[in-house]
Amino acid sequence: MVTRLSNFFLRTLREDPAGAEVASHKLLIRAGYIRPQAAGIFAWLPLGLRVKAKIETVVREEMAAAGAQEVHFPALMPREAYEATGRWEEYGDLLFRLQDRKGGDYLLAPTHEEAFTLLVKDLYSSYKDLPLTLYQIQDKYRDEARPRAGLLRGREFTMKDAYSFDASDEGLDASYQAQRDAYERIFQRLGLEYVIVQADAGAMGGSRSEEFLHPTPVGEDTFVRSEGGYAANVEAYTTTPPEAVGWDDVAAAAIYESPDTPTIETLVAHSNAVLDGEYTAADTLKNVVLALTHIDGTRELVIVGLPGDRDVDMKRAEVAFAPAEIEPATDADFEKHPLLVRGYIGPWSETGPVLGEESATGIRYLVDPRVADGTRWITGANIDQKHVHTVVAGRDFVADGTVEIANVREGDPAPDGSGPVWLAKGMEIGHVFQLGRKYAEALGLKVLNENGKLVTVTMGSYGIGVTRILAIIAELNNDDKGLIWPASVAPFDVHVVAAGRDQIAFDVAESIAVQLEAARLDVLYDDRVKVSPGVKFGDAELVGVPKIVIVGRGAAEGQVELWDRATGERDSVSVEDAIARLTAP
Amino acid sequence: MVTRLSNFFLRTLREDPAGAEVASHKLLIRAGYIRPQAAGIFAWLPLGLRVKAKIETVVREEMAAAGAQEVHFPALMPREAYEATGRWEEYGDLLFRLQDRKGGDYLLAPTHEEAFTLLVKDLYSSYKDLPLTLYQIQDKYRDEARPRAGLLRGREFTMKDAYSFDASDEGLDASYQAQRDAYERIFQRLGLEYVIVQADAGAMGGSRSEEFLHPTPVGEDTFVRSEGGYAANVEAYTTTPPEAVGWDDVAAAAIYESPDTPTIETLVAHSNAVLDGEYTAADTLKNVVLALTHIDGTRELVIVGLPGDRDVDMKRAEVAFAPAEIEPATDADFEKHPLLVRGYIGPWSETGPVLGEESATGIRYLVDPRVADGTRWITGANIDQKHVHTVVAGRDFVADGTVEIANVREGDPAPDGSGPVWLAKGMEIGHVFQLGRKYAEALGLKVLNENGKLVTVTMGSYGIGVTRILAIIAELNNDDKGLIWPASVAPFDVHVVAAGRDQIAFDVAESIAVQLEAARLDVLYDDRVKVSPGVKFGDAELVGVPKIVIVGRGAAEGQVELWDRATGERDSVSVEDAIARLTAP
């Protein structure tokens, strides 16, 4: 059935909506695809639903090809299972929580790991039932603190979430690979360039984790790549530590006066003036005090030592210390710990000139992996106005562990030896993730193995944000006139515009629309009578159907124009040629 | 792609689930269509999703044929619009309410009248934009006090809700008729017998309102029908009042002693003993005191006078007084109003022997329509141990209005003159409803009419419970072995069972399954190797695919059995004949 604009539910808007900053947000509203209902919550209009349905069809087809089976969970879920896995607390304010009339606790699910785990536990009991991959396409909720950029970071969003269940690690690897391959096919079909980057397992707990990023300078995620093919989230980049070396011939550490040198810059200048040698920031060990707030509400201070030429990357630090929340230590923290001498903090252990004891303060001391055994440093003496030089890691202090919170720089080595890395920007379009046994353990999902023994199931989790992808496609495909949809997801295949004033233009346009529909194309026909051709063209450009047919003054002679929305090219052709070209496979 | 039971996510259960009472609830769980998540909240398994998708496809096709356009609203909606229409309060405990991290009030929408009204207000402004009918298929929430009967009354359910927008009453009538016609086609395609009954507009406020009921003795709704074609909800049945007659020749009302006659029965016996004449309960006027609790929390007493041979139908009373809640007056109510003499309450007005003044007590006096002007009654004298006879309505008292709360009986006249009615049971399967201008007025939806004047839009609301219909179809189509789906909504068209022990049975079954799929049928193939034929047959009967092909011992000779799940008939036929019969149009 031809869709006629004269009664299609669409009203294009000339003005950008208030508060919309990114192109997809502005254009999807202006072109009548979505309407805001509340911050980060949108209604879908007929045009938007059509694009969404096309993306979902691609996802469903590739899920089926990968052997995944579709199920559907409610958005409203009881608290219990999320309590058992700790996520009821961990999610913090991101979770929409509510109570029913009897006071029972519920949530609007941000993802459904728990529910899928319990469903499989409920019905399956043997390794013979596995492998199994289930998925759903479902509306999810997260109470983002600052919903923004329209569908790119909303509080409600449609997601395809899949979960795999295997009795063995090898099984998980195979299930993971099948989903990973399906994701590659999905993004290829949607025309979305992607880079697969290693991701940090983060708060979800688990092992292998990769994100599909669309590389674009306007992306909100930073990742690192090398010529040799390494690609990782900045949060997942791992530093290659130098080999440990001995310190037999190294002189003892020595404290020296260093008045007014609370910064690395002043310290280096002063040290070069008073010590033998030529030092740079990289020779100094900077000690940063961070405050962690754990899920149970307790506050813990941690000191992190890292080379003085590096800064703390707070996003890497957030991931490194998750699920605890972090912030720089506050004045109040320092007041509570008078042993912390601001500007002169040194390694925090019980040996040598460095002062205090962990047990005395409860403060852990962690270091960057570059602070390997045998490396020598200039660093704070934990005494006001004093530093210490020739401090040797492993000899003069032993850290409580290493941590990756130093910033990554262009030229740093890829951990796989594939050369120096550079930094790039991207947008996340998918995530595949080996959960391992965390959820199965928490919820008791076990099956009998070949030997009749109960083994805990190992799981994977695989997500694609359907509405997010729609927004990204819109973000990547537009110009100052409006949207330019790729054919695979366009709301219609062809937009026929009756642009003449005579009845003949409408008759010819109608006939073309009907013929194209008969050839199984989706046709939007602008049959509006009292609307000028200029307004119709403007609407066509804004709505962004890739192929436009203009039926205007040439209609009486059987001539029409084929207009390619992407290139802007217009060809004058006969009606027959237009239909032949549009219906060509 | 043939669906193979060896890796299909399905586990049939032998035991009925605890707490399940109705057949659809038991069987949909036992046969692996749904799994409970919380009271009245279910997950959909692959079999269930397939049936649901088929019903949704029928609904979508008929909505499109009726000119309705699909949109989609979020389940999570802000409070404001529901506040403006009063529904935030009116829905009471039925509403799931929650707050976001900023303390903003939200709800999980039970229906979306407000959202659709605002959407159209947002985008449209002229009568030329109308008529317009929009719909969505969406998951809705109601916090039922006693969720029961599985999907028949859940707390989450999938619903098709449509809303029409017109500039004139005639337009609304046409839009209403288009949806009503679409509903008839939908139920015909789904094989669901239906009766269209007049329904009370109830709490939604509005004018024309009809329900589609499936007539069945196990239905939870009672309706009345006549031979002449009248059909109405009991709540919507209207009493035909007798014509008013004069009272010129009627003697004056007279109070008489009636000790110990607090019931109609004792009153009639006593009256026949002491008065001239032969009275029945129908000659007495019973006065019932009800307590209304209004939305704002205030409590109001109302006295309702009705013929003594009728009882109060509390469901009719609920509808008559909605949105106030009602209950019989309590002892505490009577204590507060000493003028109410229990057992001897009479008409409550300021004239004649009946006592008190409305203004003095704040108690309204309403009567059944049968208490028409000129009718004569024996009734309470509002004095202990005393009644009054020859009380004439209109002469001795004037009620504050009429109200329909008396029970309806077999033999009562249909209000349209189509003969006496009888009572029948049914299940609601759809509802079409003229909202009128209530929502448009509350939310300010106006358009310019032909004369450039702003007119308030008039609306209709049209609902079909998709998951409820699925449950009803299951409820109507089963036997002691399991489900028996009608072909139009069956999860698969054909269930092929490899029932032999030899490889040849599997080879032949596989070949049949592939050929049927190639003919565009949906095939479930039971290819399980270590499962006995008996178990496979039991599963096939439980799952309820209408056509079953058994490939057993005859496979080597090219013979299979065609098994009709509904009739139980089994025909031994050749493989070729089986395929020909199953693929016949």
Side-chain angles (χ1 to χ4, degrees), chain A residues 254 256 258 264 267-268 270-272 275-287 306-308 345-347 375-381 387-392:
Chain A
Y256 60 104
S258 58
I264 296 295
L267 172 63
V268 169
H270 175 79
S271 300
N272 281 333
L275 301 179
D276 234 15
E278 186 74 23
Y279 298 100
T280 70
D283 298 312
T284 68
L285 178 62
K286 171 156 75 179
N287 294 291
L306 65 165
I345 295 169
T375 53
R376 300 179 211 179
W377 305 93
I378 287 175
T379 189
H387 278 82
V388 54
H389 65 76
T390 323
V391 172
V392 178

Side-chain angles (χ1 to χ4, degrees), chain A residues 285-534:
Chain A
L285 178 62
K286 171 156 75 179
N287 294 291
V288 177
V289 189
L290 296 175
L292 314 189
T293 305
H294 294 284
I295 288 175
D296 64 6
T298 58
R299 192 173 176 91
E300 180 199 359
L301 295 192
V302 170
I303 304 174
V304 180
L306 65 165
D309 62 335
R310 299 268 169 183
D311 293 322
V312 173
D313 178 329
M314 285 304 278
K315 281 186 106 175
R316 277 166 63 80
E318 273 168 23
V319 170
F321 289 111
E325 290 185 6
I326 56 160
E327 60 173 342
T330 61
D331 288 349
D333 291 321
F334 282 103
E335 273 164 33
K336 275 193 201 152
H337 293 277
L339 293 179
L340 292 171
V341 186
R342 287 173 98 160
Y344 301 89
I345 295 169
W348 202 256
S349 82
E350 53 190 327
T351 58
V354 289
L355 132 181
E357 292 194 18
E358 189 205 326
S359 59
T361 61
I363 300 178
R364 280 187 292 158
Y365 183 61
L366 304 173
V367 293
D368 184 82
R370 294 174 190 84
V371 188
D373 278 2
T375 53
R376 300 179 211 179
W377 305 93
I378 287 175
T379 189
N382 290 318
I383 303 168
D384 193 35
Q385 312 295 329
K386 290 192 174 148
H387 278 82
V388 54
H389 65 76
T390 323
V391 172
V392 178
R395 181 188 73 177
D396 300 319
F397 66 90
V398 177
D400 297 311
T402 60
V403 68
E404 292 266 8
I405 69 168
N407 63 334
V408 182
R409 289 193 305 231
E410 191 156 329
D412 283 346
D416 64 356
S418 64
V421 301
W422 71 93
L423 295 168
K425 291 279 192 182
M427 288 182 182
E428 187 186 338
I429 53 178
H431 195 175
V432 291
F433 187 49
Q434 295 194 349
L435 291 173
R437 296 182 173 80
K438 173 180 168 178
Y439 287 89
E441 255 159 26
L443 298 168
L445 169 58
K446 294 170 197 276
V447 292
L448 291 171
N449 72 4
E450 297 87 331
N451 308 316
K453 284 194 177 160
L454 278 175
V455 294
T456 299
V457 168
T458 182
M459 293 168 55
S461 161
Y462 316 95
I464 283 184
V466 170
T467 47
R468 183 176 161 80
I469 280 181
L470 185 150
I472 289 174
I473 294 174
E475 194 68 34
L476 300 171
N477 298 279
N478 65 71
D479 60 18
D480 58 347
K481 304 286 177 49
L483 294 158
I484 310 170
W485 293 106
S488 59
V489 299
F492 293 94
D493 299 308
V494 184
H495 189 147
V496 177
V497 179
R501 287 191 191 155
D502 303 328
Q503 184 57 35
I504 183 82
F506 286 84
D507 293 344
V508 171
E510 168 92 26
S511 152
I512 291 173
V514 169
Q515 289 179 68
L516 293 174
E517 278 273 341
R520 297 185 165 273
L521 294 179
D522 287 334
V523 181
L524 179 62
Y525 168 33
D526 193 344
D527 62 336
R528 291 176 293 174
V529 174
K530 291 191 176 168
V531 175
S532 74

Side-chain angles (χ1 to χ4, degrees), chain A residues 35 101 106 122 143 155, chain B residues 35 101 106 122 143 155:
Chain A
R35 286 300 296 172
R101 63 162 74 208
Y106 288 78
D122 215 10
D143 195 3
R155 296 198 294 170
Chain B
R35 286 300 294 172
R101 62 162 74 208
Y106 288 78
D122 215 11
D143 196 0
R155 296 199 293 170

Side-chain angles (χ1 to χ4, degrees), chain B residues 103-166:
Chain B
D105 282 322
Y106 288 78
L107 54 84
L108 299 183
T111 57
H112 280 83
E113 278 79 359
E114 289 83 352
F116 278 83
T117 307
L118 289 176
L119 178 65
V120 174
K121 178 184 178 187
D122 215 11
L123 296 177
Y124 276 4
S125 56
S126 162
Y127 76 98
K128 292 183 211 159
D129 297 326
L130 307 182
L132 172 70
T133 298
L134 301 175
Y135 78 99
Q136 62 178 351
I137 295 181
Q138 201 253 7
D139 293 340
K140 304 213 173 304
Y141 297 85
R142 283 186 205 207
D143 196 0
E144 297 281 350
R146 281 172 297 280
R148 64 199 149 81
L151 301 176
L152 285 175
R153 191 162 296 274
R155 296 199 293 170
E156 192 201 44
F157 50 97
T158 305
M159 191 167 156
K160 186 287 297 175
D161 46 333
Y163 305 90
S164 67
F165 300 86
D166 282 278

Side-chain angles (χ1 to χ4, degrees), chain A residues 1 3 6-11 13 35-39 41-47 49 52 64-65 69-78 93-94 96-102 106 108 115 119-120 122-126 128-129 131-132 134-135 139 141 143-147 155-156 530, chain B residues 1 3 6-11 13 35-39 41-47 49 52 64-65 69-78 93-94 96-102 106 108 115 119-120 122-126 128-129 131-132 134-135 139 141 143-147 155-156 530:
Chain A
M1 206 151 46
T3 302
S6 59
N7 56 22
F8 188 58
F9 185 54
L10 171 67
R11 182 72 11 110
L13 308 175
R35 286 300 296 172
Q37 301 295 308
I41 297 179
F42 296 88
W44 290 83
L45 308 191
L47 279 177
L49 263 194
K52 188 161 173 267
Q69 302 182 58
E70 187 170 1
V71 300
H72 189 85
F73 277 92
L76 182 69
M77 296 292 294
D93 284 345
L94 266 185
F96 282 107
R97 295 177 180 83
L98 67 158
Q99 292 196 320
D100 70 1
R101 63 162 74 208
K102 292 179 177 161
Y106 288 78
L108 299 183
L119 178 66
V120 174
D122 215 10
L123 296 176
Y124 276 3
S125 56
S126 162
K128 292 181 210 159
D129 297 326
L132 172 71
L134 300 175
Y135 79 98
D139 293 339
Y141 297 85
D143 195 3
E144 297 281 350
R146 281 172 297 280
R155 296 198 294 170
E156 192 202 43
K530 291 191 176 168
Chain B
M1 205 153 43
T3 302
S6 59
N7 56 22
F8 189 58
F9 185 55
L10 172 67
R11 182 72 9 111
L13 309 175
R35 286 300 294 172
Q37 300 296 306
I41 297 178
F42 297 87
W44 290 82
L45 307 191
L47 278 178
L49 263 193
K52 189 162 172 265
Q69 302 183 57
E70 187 171 1
V71 301
H72 189 86
F73 278 90
L76 183 68
M77 295 292 294
D93 284 346
L94 268 184
F96 282 107
R97 297 177 179 83
L98 66 158
Q99 292 196 320
D100 70 1
R101 62 162 74 208
K102 292 178 177 162
Y106 288 78
L108 299 183
L119 178 65
V120 174
D122 215 11
L123 296 177
Y124 276 4
S125 56
S126 162
K128 292 183 211 159
D129 297 326
L132 172 70
L134 301 175
Y135 78 99
D139 293 340
Y141 297 85
D143 196 0
E144 297 281 350
R146 281 172 297 280
R155 296 199 293 170
E156 192 201 44
K530 293 192 175 168

Side-chain angles (χ1 to χ4, degrees), chain B residues 523-538:
Chain B
V523 181
L524 179 62
Y525 169 32
D526 193 343
D527 62 336
R528 291 176 295 176
V529 174
K530 293 192 175 168
V531 175
S532 75
V535 168
K536 288 184 176 182
F537 297 158

